[in-house]
Amino acid sequence: MKVKKKSHILIGLMFLLTLASSLLVPEKPAEAAEQSDPYIIATDVTFAPFEYQNEDGEYIGIDIELLAAIAEDQGFEYELRPMNFSAGLQALEGNQVDGMIAAMSITPERENSFDFSEPYIDAGPVLAVHEDNDEITSYDDLDGKTLAVKIGTTGAQFADELAEDYDITINQFEDSANMYEDVAAGQADAAVEDYPVMAYAIQQGLPLKLPTESEEGYPVGFAVNEDQNQELLEMFNAGLTNIKENGTYDEIMDTYLISSENTEEEGAEETAAQMDPYIIATDVTFAPFEYQNDDNEYIGIDIDLLAAIAEDQGFTYELRPMNFSAGLQALETNQVDGMIAAMSITPEREESFDFSEPYIDAGPVLAVHEDNDEITSYEDLDGKTLAVKVGTTGAQFADELAEEYDITINQFEDSANMYEDVAAGQADAAVEDYPVMAYAIQQGLPLKLPTQPEEGYPIGFAVNEGQNQELLEMFNAGLVNVMEDSTYDEIMDTYLISPEDAEVAEDTGIFSLLSSNFDALMAGLGRTLLLTLVSFAISLVAGTIFGLFSATKNRALNLIANIYVTVLRGIPLIVLAFFMYFSVPQLFDIQLTAFMAGIITLSLNTTAYISEQVRGGIAAVPIGQLEAARSLGLPYRQSMQKVVLPQAIKIMIPSLINQLVITLKDTSILSVIGIVELTQSGRIIIARSYQSGAMWIIVGLIYLIIITLLTKLSNLIERSLMND
Amino acid sequence: MTKLKTENLHKSFGKLEVLKGLDLEVQEGEVVVIIGPSGSGKSTYLRCMNLLEDVNDGKVIVDDYDLTDPSQNINKVRENIGMVFQQFNLFPHLTVMENILLAPRKLKNMSKSEGRKLGMSLLESVGMEDKADAYPNSLSGGQKQRAAIARALAMDPDILLFDEPTSALDPEMVGDVLEVMQNLAKEGMTMVVVTHEMGFAREVADRVVFMDDGNIVEIGPPSQVFEHPKNERTKNFLDKIL
């Protein structure tokens, strides 16, 4: 037996070693052309299908092949430099690289710093359904269906927008793969994702198809630093035209993407039904301008301002929340009469639309900790640390400041972390668009604004060029009126904290955050407890059975128990959850709700641990107990039931309580398959309130309280059992 | 009439053979005491008699039932063979009365009142009637062993096996337990007793079996084995302990 065990270990070790060595195979350096003056081109490390490494460690992808084809066409040499996306942006700005091709969206902010080529692809969201699904061929068919989305993407916004029009259930995921699987496994009827990413995934064998054309989104282009390497940019554009003409472009796209099957026209935008009320497009979620409150009503600066102006001017309107870029299209095609969506008045947009007078300015502003009286001007930043969000105008402004002063810059991928960096004292100040920052402070962030905001793009209300001029005039007139009476100030005070106002709105502490989200948190807690208790009850029964299996002298039963425990203990809970929710429905052609899959996952996992505890508990009961029972003529089963198990359970109670606590905490892992338990509830509330600091304290405390109560209760039960 | 018989009984633990072909016949109403040095296999032998230990070879026959026959319902036969252990093995989560009545209630579907009556009479016979509802942990060693004897009697067996019943007891408790065993012998119970209590063996045993190294070395009435041992090993053993 011992020899056998050793050989198992040996085989396992060899497997691990092989795995490790295969991972350690050195990447092939992409320095093919080491000639006189190759252009250094930055690209992202991994962003399929644009750039990623194949099994041989070579970089491939749309960007890579496109660049190769264009370079060949134009006869220039280049050297690829894969790096983190934001590092690439910096390298480009600092002229450390000559160009960058990295699925880079051509945003107005980026156009300030870089010169872009003609766009080579568009990254708008697209609908995907299971390949066998012939039921959904347009957005109208989504009524009553379930949509899978990835949190925080334009796809998710677009899904929200669709949910306004149709009765749609939305499953939210943290990453794309899970979202795809949700549809592949039949849990959701369709998914929404950026077109190239989705098309690539399908091309890779995902059993989905695209029933509709993709929506318009930000175009993607090749970039050089502003006014640098213009000859490279020209060559890129010329090459792009050439490879589009000679078919190379299509070949590349065909290699990585699958095209929409069905070329029916886009069906999302319904035509304005009525003539009387003005149809006004707005964004789905962009706090503090427009977002849904706890009652799912739209509120925000734009919403309130429009309401006030409409009341002042006596016109009626109907709000149409939609994805920002979809709104622009709808406005351009006269499907809506106007649009109010924190819309920056950029020169490009002024060519297509007529704007009202600006009603707010979105320039970057400095924010410091509320207790910080040291920094009152930009000069005070000398020797200090600034937190910025990568790729924002705030980040650009910080770079500008860094040229003048000795400033260290901490870069963050999202606003919440940037705020927390300052709130926690890691950075001395943050730079962010004024309305967004002011709103976050108003929501309880312990920062204040020591300076006035910088000038940025002003924000206005828009109508299509030459259309609805009477609406525009009414808006302007109404804006003047609400600015004259105090309505405008009231609205701004509601959503923003002004730079002069150093005090933080006090009613947004932990308790108000808790009370305003109490129902959502309790619903999450309810699901957490339900998952825990149901799974634990199942596991108690199943674990006892497996524990008894391993305690018998029957070799076959021993083996079954042993295999079960080995397999289930050897698989991380998160992997098991994915397997249950995604693989099982595909492999066995059954439907499992996320909640069911969660309960099965947790039960399987907990059963393995409880069965070991049962085995240990039984082993801890002196063998004489079983012998005494058997010597009386009691059969094995009854002897176990009446004599051994009651004693084993007493021995097991402390470890069972421990297991209950672990199982309860493990439920948080099930958020990955879209179960809105306590942790996921917290995450959703943070996405709305920006208060990650306070929220995680609340969520942590709720777990702590519940687990403490459960432990106390269990201890009481234990004591009463011990008193026998 | 032969009540219990072993034929050519072999038992090994792994490669170590501890019983090397033992033959013994115990008559109805007979008290057989097995003595011998520690490690001689006497406890293992006793535990083979109700098949608590599997037998490698040979037969155990009780009332014409072959226990080593795999088709034999061992549980049924065990009801007829009570066993008393060195460590008592009372069930700590049950009261004395519940310990006694567990088997009769489960196996004979005895009613509660009927069981209580039986339990009280058994406890009376071992002088423990006042401890019926006590938990084992509150009893002294001697009380525990008397309660264990009452439990062994609950299924009304014809044979009782005693595995060093007094070895774990304080000296002042030994007498009470031996007295109970002596009473059982007087009432005609067939008993096989592994013990170091030579006084008990001499006084109560019908036959004494001396075991050494997995063999039955000598067997006979106590007067013969104790006064005129034939075998050198028996002599040596008795010299050491008497």
Side-chain angles (χ1 to χ4, degrees), chain B residues 208-211 216-220 224-225 228-231 234:
Chain B
V208 174
V209 172
F210 175 70
M211 277 182 71
I216 292 175
V217 175
E218 192 158 349
I219 187 163
Q224 182 198 316
V225 173
H228 311 287
K230 289 174 190 158
N231 193 292
T234 319

Side-chain angles (χ1 to χ4, degrees), chain A residues 240-497:
Chain A
L240 183 61
T241 309
N242 288 347
I243 64 168
K244 274 185 173 172
E245 275 169 10
N246 69 21
T248 313
Y249 176 89
D250 288 339
E251 276 168 31
I252 293 172
M253 292 303 155
D254 284 351
T255 309
Y256 294 100
L257 308 178
I258 190 118
S259 61
S260 296
E261 276 197 346
N262 186 331
T263 50
E264 273 172 37
E265 65 187 55
E266 304 158 12
E269 290 79 29
E270 288 181 349
T271 45
Q274 275 171 275
M275 281 306 293
D276 269 354
Y278 290 107
I279 310 294
I280 311 290
T282 186
D283 202 348
V284 182
T285 294
F286 188 58
F289 291 97
E290 44 266 330
Y291 59 99
Q292 284 170 290
N293 65 10
D294 301 341
D295 301 328
N296 291 327
E297 291 160 350
Y298 268 93
I299 57 169
I301 292 174
D302 287 347
I303 312 297
D304 288 4
L305 195 63
L306 181 63
I309 289 172
E311 196 193 334
D312 181 76
Q313 295 290 314
F315 64 85
T316 58
Y317 65 96
E318 201 176 284
L319 265 187
R320 196 59 61 83
M322 55 179 80
N323 177 285
F324 185 77
S325 55
L328 291 181
Q329 273 183 76
L331 188 58
E332 203 159 11
T333 54
N334 291 322
Q335 285 165 322
V336 297
D337 299 307
M339 177 157 170
I340 187 160
M343 206 169 159
S344 299
I345 307 175
T346 63
E348 298 87 12
R349 287 188 188 145
E350 282 188 299
E351 283 171 23
S352 309
F353 308 115
D354 290 336
F355 280 93
S356 72
E357 293 300 315
Y359 56 85
I360 198 167
D361 189 279
V365 70
L366 198 67
V368 298
H369 192 278
E370 59 183 357
D371 298 332
N372 184 328
D373 296 325
E374 203 186 332
I375 298 172
T376 55
S377 71
Y378 296 132
E379 285 92 65
D380 299 329
L381 290 172
D382 207 53
K384 297 283 191 282
T385 302
L386 264 184
V388 302
K389 186 170 150 192
V390 174
T392 60
T393 52
Q396 288 174 20
F397 184 64
D399 285 341
E400 272 169 44
L401 287 173
E403 278 169 28
E404 277 184 73
Y405 308 107
D406 171 26
I407 289 175
T408 311
I409 293 182
N410 288 357
Q411 300 201 336
F412 293 92
E413 291 290 332
D414 66 60
S415 304
N417 291 345
M418 175 184 71
Y419 301 152
E420 291 300 324
D421 202 46
V422 180
Q426 310 283 3
D428 300 292
V431 186
E432 170 68 291
D433 286 352
Y434 164 67
V436 178
M437 179 60 92
Y439 171 70
I441 291 176
Q442 213 264 2
Q443 289 296 301
L445 203 68
L447 306 187
K448 64 179 180 185
L449 310 176
T451 59
Q452 289 291 331
E454 288 299 304
E455 213 171 271
Y457 281 123
I459 286 176
F461 169 80
V463 295
N464 203 1
E465 198 172 18
Q467 304 283 325
N468 289 304
Q469 295 299 312
E470 79 294 346
L471 177 59
L472 198 59
E473 275 160 33
M474 283 195 288
F475 190 94
N476 281 332
L479 184 60
V480 173
N481 287 346
V482 299
M483 280 180 159
E484 273 171 8
D485 67 31
S486 58
T487 316
Y488 177 89
D489 289 338
E490 276 167 25
I491 293 172
M492 293 303 154
D493 284 350
T494 308
Y495 295 101
L496 308 178
I497 190 108

